[in-house]
Amino acid sequence: MKLELYEKIVKTENSARKFLLGFCWKNHQRFCPKCRTRRLYAIRQGYRRCSRCGYTFHDFSMRFLNNGNLSCQQWLRLIKLFELEAPTSRMAEQLGMSYNTAYKSVTTLRMAIVAHSLDARLIFSSIHGLDLGPSGKFRKEGRGNGMRMPVFGIVERGDHVFVDLIPELDAESILHFKMNFHLKTASLGKIIYTDRYKHYAALLTGGSALSSACRIKHADKGLFIDSSRGFWSFSKAWFQRLRGISPVNFPLYIKELEFRYNHRHEDIFPILAQYLCAFVPNFEQ
């Protein structure tokens, strides 16, 4: 998005709200987020009630951007800083909010990205601690201490990449493949990656536990993906910046990177705004 247009959108809270509402309601037609009926009546400023199921809601109810108390201007400024890959501490400073508030808001945006990925249902059902609820409120619980570190497999198809969760594997599986089947492994910052595995160009997992396990070094040469000029060359610097990885955070980072790569030739600002304005899906249905 050109800076001139961005400045126009965030100039006032009203202009920022109008921009976001454009992603929420097609043709400005409201309906009940729960039962989808259009039979509504106003009860107080900004709130409506469904005449069918009785649900009371406002324009952002049950949507990702309802998770938190940010204003519309703050959300759009956070999206811009996220687009520019500003660290969370810098976001907090620029937005005049606490680090925890900025971290929670960035996590909300990352969860919206995950929810729009092809394996979203599998990720949210497999990773304990990533909880999406139908109310539009959700929690990312804990740091994942004692949880299995998930494994993702890389598949490149033309200009796109798919980094898929492989639920039957964990970090210990990679160690097993290395020790017993001589699968080559290497490290990149906190990431451990492997040589080709089945139809995957590589497997990825967090390396905190593997780095010290059995004193095995992950420094093999000649891995298939090291010669790739696509996703892997795009990802290297990004992976090296990761300071710590938990089983809960790892899927969020991986899916963010998948999103950035697949949309690298596009303006991601409106896409992120659209994701943030989407209803929180109920994968339990």
Side-chain angles (χ1 to χ4, degrees):
M1 177 178 290
K2 292 184 177 180
L3 188 58
E4 183 179 0
L5 177 57
Y6 170 76
E7 290 175 341
K8 183 178 180 181
I9 291 172
V10 299
K11 185 176 182 179
T12 67
E13 178 65 14
N14 188 53
S15 62
R17 181 180 178 84
K18 183 178 180 181
F19 177 77
L20 291 173
L21 284 175
F23 294 104
C24 294
W25 306 104
K26 185 177 181 180
N27 299 322
H28 308 287
Q29 297 296 310
R30 269 68 169 178
F31 54 82
C32 174
K34 282 197 171 181
C35 69
R36 296 303 195 262
T37 186
R38 296 186 185 277
R39 294 183 296 170
L40 313 171
Y41 58 92
I43 57 173
R44 59 182 184 273
Q45 186 176 6
Y47 283 83
R48 295 175 174 83
R49 180 167 293 162
C50 176
S51 61
R52 179 182 177 184
C53 70
Y55 180 61
T56 300
F57 65 97
H58 56 78
D59 281 332
F60 299 143
S61 293
M62 297 179 66
R63 301 178 188 273
F64 282 97
L65 79 169
N66 192 43
N67 191 55
N69 296 314
L70 272 64
S71 68
C72 294
Q73 285 177 300
Q74 286 177 316
W75 272 122
L76 293 180
R77 287 168 179 153
L78 182 133
I79 290 174
K80 175 55 71 175
L81 291 169
F82 183 86
E83 176 190 6
L84 298 174
E85 300 186 55
T88 305
S89 58
R90 186 64 172 167
M91 292 183 184
E93 177 185 340
Q94 290 293 311
L95 296 171
M97 60 180 62
S98 69
Y99 178 87
N100 286 342
T101 299
Y103 177 79
K104 179 180 178 181
S105 302
V106 173
T107 299
T108 297
L109 189 51
R110 286 187 171 122
M111 291 185 80
I113 291 173
V114 175
H116 285 81
S117 63
L118 293 178
D119 53 348
R121 183 181 294 274
L122 181 61
I123 289 174
F124 285 115
S125 63
S126 301
I127 307 298
H128 176 72
L130 283 181
D131 178 32
L132 278 184
S135 66
K137 297 289 185 180
F138 56 84
R139 296 177 295 173
K140 184 172 74 67
E141 299 178 348
R143 295 180 176 272
N145 294 332
M147 291 170 52
R148 299 167 68 233
M149 182 64 74
V151 173
F152 288 82
I154 300 174
V155 178
E156 291 194 68
R157 293 289 184 268
D159 289 336
H160 288 78
V161 68
F162 304 94
V163 191
D164 300 329
L165 176 68
I166 310 177
E168 65 270 22
L169 299 181
D170 60 14
E172 292 184 359
S173 303
I174 290 181
L175 193 61
H176 168 68
F177 294 154
K178 180 177 180 65
M179 294 176 66
N180 297 294
F181 298 100
H182 308 291
L183 180 66
K184 291 182 178 180
T185 62
S187 62
L188 189 62
K190 297 292 184 179
I191 298 293
I192 301 297
Y193 64 100
T194 75
D195 206 357
R196 297 185 70 169
Y197 175 81
K198 295 185 178 181
H199 64 284
Y200 296 109
L203 302 179
L204 299 176
T205 192
S208 299
L210 292 185
S211 297
S212 57
C214 303
R215 298 181 180 179
I216 292 177
K217 293 183 178 180
H218 302 281
D220 294 322
K221 305 296 182 182
L223 276 67
F224 174 78
I225 203 167
D226 283 332
S227 61
S228 171
R229 296 182 180 180
F231 174 73
W232 197 240
S233 60
F234 176 90
S235 309
K236 284 183 177 180
W238 198 92
F239 279 137
Q240 289 172 334
R241 292 200 299 269
L242 291 178
R243 293 291 178 263
I245 303 172
S246 72
V248 176
N249 283 327
F250 190 46
L252 302 180
Y253 295 144
I254 290 297
K255 285 302 174 178
E256 176 190 343
L257 187 56
E258 178 190 76
F259 168 82
R260 289 185 183 276
Y261 181 80
N262 288 336
H263 296 279
R264 64 195 181 280
H265 301 308
E266 302 173 56
D267 179 5
I268 66 172
F269 185 91
I271 301 174
L272 291 171
Q274 180 182 2
Y275 284 6
L276 195 61
C277 290
F279 287 114
V280 176
N282 183 6
F283 291 121
E284 297 180 356
Q285 292 181 339

